[in-house]
Amino acid sequence: MTPLHFALKLECLPNSSAVILLRTQKQAPNTQNGSHAAIPELCRLLTAGGHCCEVHDMQRWGRDDNDIDVVVRIPGPKSVRDETLSVPYRPKPWNLNLALTDDPSQLPLAEYYDGILPLNLVGEQPDGGGPAQRLEREVFALLSPGTKENAERLERIRLARERISSAAYRQGGPLVSVLISTHNRRQTLPRAIESLIAQTYKDWELLLVQDGGVRVGDIVDSFHDSRIQLIRREQNGGMARGYHTAFEHAHGRYIAWLSDDDIWYPEHLERLMLALRELPGVRFAYTDATRVLLNMRETPPRELERGVVYDRQLCLADIMESNGITGISPVHDRELYIQAGGLDPKQKVLIDFDLWRRMASLSCPCRVDAVTAEYYLKQGDKRGQLTALYTKSPGTYRVQRLRVLSKKLPLKAASPLWEVWRRLRRQAVQNYAVFRGLDALEAKDERKTAIFRKLARRTLDPSSIQCLRDLALFELANSHPAEAFQLLFQILTSNQFDAEPSDLLHGFLAALLENNTDHAEQISNMAARAEAVAHKHRLQLFSPSEQAQIAEYRAKLAQMKQADV
C-alpha cells in the first residue's frame, strides 16, 4: 500500500486529557473523552504500517494542511451543530476528509466529507480487525480510481492543490478593501502602508481616512500606487467613525483592518484569503499577531518585550466577556459587516471587540494557525492609545464595556448564551456602580453614594468572586464593615472560589471594625491554618508588609478580648 500522511483532528483543546494521553502515548479506556482514549494506539498502528500520523487538537485546525493526504475528524464528548457554542472543523478540498460519528445529523458541514465512518472504528472490532487496518481499507477504497465518484474525488484533490500553489492564485483573487483611519501619526503611517504594499496577495485597495489632524497627502503620493485612496475628514470624529467612513468608500468583497501604527507580515492577506476562498462556510477569518511593548521615553523607542497573546481558535461563547482576536488580524466578507450593524460610532474603546462579538454571533470565526502581524503597545507615550483607556479613564472604560455587553445578539431563543449575556450585563452594571460609588464617596456626595450602593447590591452576582470582592471593598470604604465581612466570609468559606491572601486581610479588618471578636477570631484562625499549609510546602502566604498587618490585627483582637473580660 502507498504510504499516506494522516492527520487526526480531535475536537478538544491542547490541555485536555485526550491530548495529554497522546503526549505520554498512554491509553486510558475509561477516560471521559471516549474514543479519544484509543487514539494513541491508532497512531502507533498507522505508523507501524508505514504511514505518517499526526494528531491535531482544535488549536491546530487552522493549519494549511497541504502536506496532509487524509484528515480524520474525531468528535468530542459534546459535539453540537451550533457554531456560537462550538467550532466546526472545515474540510479542506485538497485533503481526503473523513469523519467518525455515530450521529451524522450532528456533524457540521457533513456534505463536505468524503466519508462518514462509525465512531467505534477506533475501538475493538467485532471481526478481529484492528482500527488502523479498517481505516486503511476505507481510505484506499475511496482513493481507488475504479469508480466515477472516486475519479472525480481524486481530480478535485489534484486541482485544488494545483490551484492554491499557483502564482496566479495570488494575483487574480477577489478584491480586499483594507481600511486605515489615521490621526496625527505621520511617523508610523508609512511603515504600515509599506507592509500592505509588500503583501504577496496583490488584489487589494487601501481606503485611508485622514481623520482630522495633520495632512498625510504627501505620504500617500510618495508611494505612487493607484490602489491607495485618501479620504479627508476635516474634524476628528473618532476611530469608529473614521473606519466606517473608509468602509463606505470600499469596493471589495472582503474587508481587512490595519492600524496606522501597526504592520502586517507579507503573507497576511494570502493566508487569510486561502481560508475565505477555499474553506466551506468561512466568512470571518483571523490570524495570530505579535504584541510588541515599546519604551517611548527613549529615542529611538526601545523594545521591551514581544510575544503572542491571542492564539486560540474561538467561537462566540469564548468572546462573550472579553476579546481574543487582535484588531488587525481579521479579514471578513463585507456583507457580514453590514449584517452585524457595522461599527458603533458611539463606541470610543473596545471598538474591535464590539464588532467581532456581533459578527461571531452570525458566523463562527475561523482561525488561521499563523503569526502574520505585529501590533505595538507604547509605554510612556504622551498621546496614549485607546488600549490604555482602562487606566487613563476607568469610568469611561466601564461605561463603554457596559455598552458592548448590553447589546443584544441574534441568538436562538433556546441558546444557553442568553443566560451568559444576562449574567455578564449584570456584572458590568455592578462594576460600574461600585466604581461610581467609590467616586461619590471620595467626593463626599452622600446621595450619589447611597444611590450607587443600592444599585451595586441589587445587581450583585453571587457566583462571581470579583463581584463579591468589589462590593465588599466598597462596603468597607463606606463604613459598612458588617456587610463587608459577610461578603468576604462567603469568598473565604466557599469551595467554588479561590480566595486570595488579601481577602483574609480585608475580612479581618472588617471584623475588627464591626467590633465582632467572634468573626475576628474566625478569620485569625483561617489565616493561621493557611499559613501552616503554606509553610509545609515551603511557600510564603503573606508578604512582609501583609505579615506585619496580620500581627497588628491579632494584637488588636487580643486587646478586644481583654476588654470583654
Side-chain angles (χ1 to χ4, degrees):
M1 289 187 177
T2 305
L4 296 172
H5 196 156
F6 285 81
L8 308 183
K9 304 285 185 177
L10 271 62
E11 190 177 10
C12 62
L13 294 172
N15 59 352
S16 71
S17 58
V19 176
I20 293 169
L21 286 168
L22 289 163
R23 292 190 189 124
T24 58
Q25 291 297 299
K26 293 179 180 178
Q27 191 167 357
N30 295 324
T31 181
Q32 291 182 350
N33 286 296
S35 59
H36 290 175
I39 299 303
E41 178 66 6
L42 176 59
C43 288
R44 188 187 69 77
L45 292 171
L46 285 170
T47 303
H51 304 293
C52 181
C53 184
E54 298 182 17
V55 177
H56 299 163
D57 56 63
M58 291 172 68
Q59 298 304 81
R60 299 183 68 197
W61 283 6
R63 293 174 80 256
D64 286 348
D65 284 338
N66 46 22
D67 58 337
I68 301 295
D69 298 308
V70 182
V71 166
V72 184
R73 179 191 179 276
I74 301 174
K78 295 181 180 178
S79 298
V80 292
R81 295 203 65 158
D82 189 343
E83 290 190 11
T84 64
L85 300 173
S86 67
V87 177
Y89 178 72
R90 303 183 188 276
K92 303 174 178 79
W94 47 88
N95 300 139
L96 180 74
N97 295 287
L98 306 177
L100 303 186
T101 180
D102 287 332
D103 186 0
S105 68
Q106 289 301 308
L107 177 65
L109 305 170
E111 64 273 25
Y112 292 96
Y113 285 89
D114 298 296
I116 298 176
L117 308 176
L119 193 57
N120 66 5
L121 178 138
V122 297
E124 294 295 327
Q125 302 303 315
D127 59 3
Q133 289 79 8
R134 187 176 176 191
L135 184 57
E136 279 181 330
R137 288 198 299 270
E138 297 285 355
V139 167
F140 283 106
L142 291 167
L143 291 177
S144 169
T147 69
K148 180 182 178 182
E149 185 179 6
N150 283 6
E152 290 174 349
R153 181 180 296 115
L154 290 168
E155 183 70 359
R156 181 207 77 208
I157 293 172
R158 184 186 68 80
L159 291 175
R161 288 178 180 263
E162 287 183 359
R163 182 172 64 251
I164 65 174
S165 61
S166 69
Y169 189 75
R170 294 192 290 265
Q171 299 290 340
L175 181 66
V176 178
S177 294
V178 181
L179 315 183
I180 298 180
S181 178
T182 188
H183 177 76
N184 291 346
R185 279 190 175 145
R186 283 182 58 90
Q187 285 186 320
T188 58
L189 179 62
R191 189 162 178 250
I193 297 175
E194 286 166 6
S195 79
L196 171 58
I197 291 175
Q199 292 299 299
T200 55
Y201 185 90
K202 300 300 183 183
D203 207 347
W204 55 262
E205 63 173 358
L206 170 60
L207 294 313
L208 173 64
V209 171
Q210 177 194 303
D211 193 23
V214 295
R215 300 262 172 167
V216 296
D218 59 318
I219 294 176
V220 172
D221 293 341
S222 70
F223 286 102
H224 306 289
D225 196 316
S226 61
R227 294 173 295 180
I228 303 174
Q229 179 184 351
L230 176 63
I231 303 135
R232 291 190 177 92
R233 288 170 53 99
E234 294 304 319
Q235 298 296 321
N236 177 247
M239 190 172 288
R241 291 184 188 277
Y243 275 110
H244 186 68
T245 298
F247 175 81
E248 289 177 328
H249 288 77
H251 301 93
R253 177 179 168 188
Y254 293 97
I255 305 297
W257 308 80
L258 182 58
S259 296
D260 57 4
D261 59 346
D262 297 328
I263 63 168
W264 287 341
Y265 299 160
E267 291 189 349
H268 176 75
L269 288 179
E270 181 184 344
R271 298 294 295 269
L272 287 163
M273 288 305 294
L274 179 66
L276 286 159
R277 295 167 75 181
E278 298 290 343
L279 304 191
V282 176
R283 303 180 64 193
F284 177 8
Y286 67 98
T287 56
D288 302 337
T290 298
R291 183 182 71 176
V292 181
L293 180 62
L294 299 176
N295 184 351
M296 302 302 291
R297 297 183 181 91
E298 299 183 23
T299 305
R302 181 168 62 89
E303 184 178 310
L304 300 176
E305 63 180 42
R306 65 169 50 222
V308 176
V309 177
Y310 302 136
D311 60 352
R312 290 183 55 205
Q313 170 59 66
L314 304 167
C315 62
L316 175 62
D318 299 309
I319 57 172
M320 285 290 287
E321 183 172 6
S322 57
N323 197 8
I325 300 174
T326 308
I328 60 170
S329 292
V331 176
H332 55 84
D333 73 45
R334 68 179 294 123
E335 287 304 313
L336 184 61
Y337 177 90
I338 295 169
Q339 284 179 276
L343 290 169
D344 181 351
K346 295 182 179 178
Q347 205 68 45
K348 306 301 179 187
V349 70
L350 303 174
I351 295 166
D352 50 357
F353 171 45
D354 176 38
L355 182 60
W356 306 158
R357 193 170 177 262
R358 286 183 280 124
M359 291 203 303
S361 69
L362 297 166
S363 181
C364 184
C366 175
R367 174 177 173 262
V368 173
D369 188 9
V371 178
T372 66
E374 281 184 15
Y375 65 103
Y376 301 91
L377 296 183
K378 299 169 183 177
Q379 202 175 77
D381 185 358
K382 292 181 181 179
R383 271 201 65 212
Q385 293 175 288
L386 286 179
T387 45
L389 189 63
Y390 178 78
T391 52
K392 289 192 301 181
S393 181
T396 301
Y397 177 88
R398 283 167 170 80
V399 171
Q400 293 281 289
R401 183 169 184 272
L402 177 57
R403 180 178 178 82
V404 171
L405 297 181
S406 296
K407 290 177 182 174
K408 289 196 171 182
L409 302 171
L411 302 171
K412 296 175 183 176
S415 173
L417 290 184
W418 278 122
E419 183 55 38
V420 176
W421 179 84
R422 284 187 284 269
R423 175 174 55 80
L424 291 175
R425 184 177 183 278
R426 184 184 182 115
Q427 290 177 5
V429 170
Q430 196 234 17
N431 179 262
Y432 172 73
V434 168
F435 178 82
R436 289 297 305 273
L438 288 168
D439 263 2
L441 188 62
E442 187 177 350
K444 298 181 179 179
D445 188 329
E446 294 183 5
R447 186 182 69 84
K448 284 187 177 180
T449 300
I451 289 172
F452 286 116
R453 180 184 179 229
K454 183 178 180 181
L455 179 59
R457 292 189 68 84
R458 182 164 57 83
T459 55
L460 173 66
D461 177 4
S463 68
S464 166
I465 187 172
Q466 195 57 52
C467 289
L468 290 166
R469 186 179 286 136
D470 289 348
L471 183 56
L473 296 182
F474 180 27
E475 295 285 33
L476 200 54
N478 197 23
S479 302
H480 293 285
E483 289 82 351
F485 178 83
Q486 292 301 326
L487 293 163
L488 290 162
F489 193 72
Q490 186 175 339
I491 292 173
L492 292 166
T493 57
S494 173
N495 292 329
Q496 73 179 96
F497 299 132
D498 291 324
E500 297 177 356
S502 60
D503 297 320
L504 284 165
L505 289 168
H506 290 129
F508 209 155
L509 177 60
L512 294 173
L513 290 175
E514 67 168 329
N515 289 312
N516 191 315
T517 54
D518 290 339
H519 287 169
E521 188 77 47
Q522 281 180 296
I523 299 296
S524 180
N525 291 338
M526 283 183 187
R529 288 194 296 271
E531 285 174 303
V533 171
H535 180 73
K536 183 178 179 181
H537 292 88
R538 298 181 180 180
L539 300 173
Q540 185 172 313
L541 182 66
F542 296 111
S543 66
S545 62
E546 290 172 333
Q547 288 174 343
Q549 225 171 354
I550 283 280
E552 181 185 334
Y553 291 165
R554 283 176 173 149
K556 176 66 174 174
L557 172 60
Q559 292 175 6
M560 290 169 59
K561 290 166 71 175
Q562 185 64 35
D564 288 344
V565 174

